[in-house]
């Protein structure tokens, strides 16, 4: 009898006269398990060849009133399975290809995040556009019919929305910048990276900056949470102070 590693097998000792049953599932003679009837289910969790011994007899009688039978069970190991994703996380959307790398199966079947199925060692690229976790599951079946399963999760995070408020100023005045960015998906914003044209940087949330001359300056704010970044850019004009004759 062949049964895959980790799968139960049913044994049935047919002896109409017997009312005492005990089993040795490893053939060692050292570990007997009594049962009240001749049918029993057992699982071998390690591959190998096992001599399963059943002893039947009459309850309360001597050993001379018992007899034994042996059945050989072959337990092949499960096929190896190794699931790899091309990307396991991304921001806002993600394209993922899943691959089974062990290649020990006679067949490979996938359950994809949308519930559809596919076969073969590699999936087509899967576009994930919904924020959250997305489960990839693969089942590998070998030539004996033994199966092994692996799961991996790809996570799509929501990016923050970068924004700020600033006003044009006159030469010599300090410009103030107010961050109005919004976090994405409940992940708090952790970093602010300001660039004031070619005139310096800041990493505080609401900075102030004095530009050195007249003109239009491109101000960029990049915000970041634990997973994603976002950028906002505005042009700020530094005007000359009006003269009075």
């Amino acid at each position: 009898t062949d049964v895959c590693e980790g799968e139960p097998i049913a044994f049935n000792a047919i002896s109409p006269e017997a009312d005492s049953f005990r089993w040795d599932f490893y053939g060692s003679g050292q570990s007997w398990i009594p049962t009240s009837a001749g049918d029993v289910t057992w699982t071998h969790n390690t591959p190998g060849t096992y001599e399963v011994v059943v002893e039947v007899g009459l309850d309360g009688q001597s050993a001379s009133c018992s007899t034994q039978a042996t059945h050989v069970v072959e337990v092949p190991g499960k096929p190896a399975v190794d699931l790899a994703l091309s990307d396991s996380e991304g921001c806002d959307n993600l394209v993922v290809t899943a691959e089974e790398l062990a290649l020990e199966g006679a067949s490979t079947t996938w359950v994809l995040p949308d519930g559809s199925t596919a076969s073969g060692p590699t999936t087509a690229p899967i576009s994930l556009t919904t924020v959250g976790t997305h489960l990839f599951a693969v089942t590998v079946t070998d030539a004996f019919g033994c199966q092994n399963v692996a799961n991996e999760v790809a996570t799509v995070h929501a990016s923050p929305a970068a924004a700020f408020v600033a006003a044009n100023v006159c030469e010599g005045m300090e410009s103030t910048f107010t961050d109005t960015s919004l976090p994405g998906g409940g992940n708090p914003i952790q970093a602010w990276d300001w660039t004031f044209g070619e005139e310096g940087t800041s990493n505080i949330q609401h900075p102030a900056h004095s530009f050195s001359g007249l003109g239009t300056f491109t101000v960029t704010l990049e915000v970041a949470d634990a997973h994603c970044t976002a950028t906002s850019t505005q042009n700020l004009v530094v005007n000359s102070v009006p003269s009075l004759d």
Side-chain angles (χ1 to χ4, degrees):
T1 300
D2 290 348
V3 63
C4 297
E5 170 192 2
E7 293 186 4
I9 183 172
F11 298 94
N12 189 14
I14 301 174
S15 179
E17 300 85 2
D19 58 6
S20 173
F21 303 84
R22 63 177 190 159
W23 300 81
D24 175 8
F25 295 101
Y26 296 94
S28 65
Q30 304 298 314
S31 179
W32 291 94
I33 298 175
T35 61
S36 59
D39 54 335
V40 67
T41 299
W42 189 259
T43 301
H44 290 96
N45 291 311
T46 304
T49 300
Y50 299 90
E51 291 187 350
V52 177
V53 182
V54 61
E55 183 178 274
V56 301
L58 300 176
D59 192 24
Q61 301 298 314
S62 66
S64 62
C65 292
S66 65
T67 188
Q68 294 183 351
T70 300
H71 190 84
V72 176
V73 177
E74 297 286 347
V75 181
K78 294 180 179 179
V81 60
D82 184 6
L83 196 169
L85 302 181
S86 58
D87 287 291
S88 60
E89 62 179 332
C91 299
D92 301 321
N93 57 75
L94 187 64
V95 176
V96 178
T97 300
E99 184 176 7
E100 200 290 302
L101 300 176
L103 300 177
E104 290 191 4
S107 66
T108 304
T109 304
W110 298 87
V111 178
L112 303 176
D114 63 358
S116 64
T117 60
S119 60
T122 304
T123 70
I126 308 298
S127 181
L128 306 175
T129 58
T130 303
V131 171
T133 57
H134 303 266
L135 179 66
F136 291 77
V138 63
T139 300
V140 174
T141 305
D142 67 14
F144 298 102
C146 298
Q147 294 184 330
N148 206 351
V149 177
N151 300 311
E152 288 289 346
V153 170
T155 303
V156 178
H157 304 284
S159 293
F164 64 93
V165 174
N168 295 336
V169 296
C170 289
E171 184 180 10
M173 294 180 60
E174 187 176 63
S175 301
T176 58
F177 299 88
T178 303
D179 168 52
T180 58
S181 303
L182 297 175
N187 297 311
I189 295 173
Q190 299 177 347
W192 296 262
D193 185 6
W194 297 85
T195 302
F196 305 110
E198 298 180 356
E199 295 214 346
T201 61
S202 176
N203 58 11
I204 65 174
Q205 185 176 5
H206 306 295
H209 182 76
S210 294
F211 292 92
S212 62
L214 303 174
T216 300
F217 298 86
T218 300
V219 179
T220 300
L221 167 63
E222 181 180 88
V223 295
D225 60 23
H227 306 286
C228 304
T229 62
T231 301
S232 178
T233 299
Q234 295 184 34
N235 289 327
L236 184 141
V237 178
V238 177
N239 299 296
S240 61
V241 177
S243 60
L244 180 62
D245 295 332

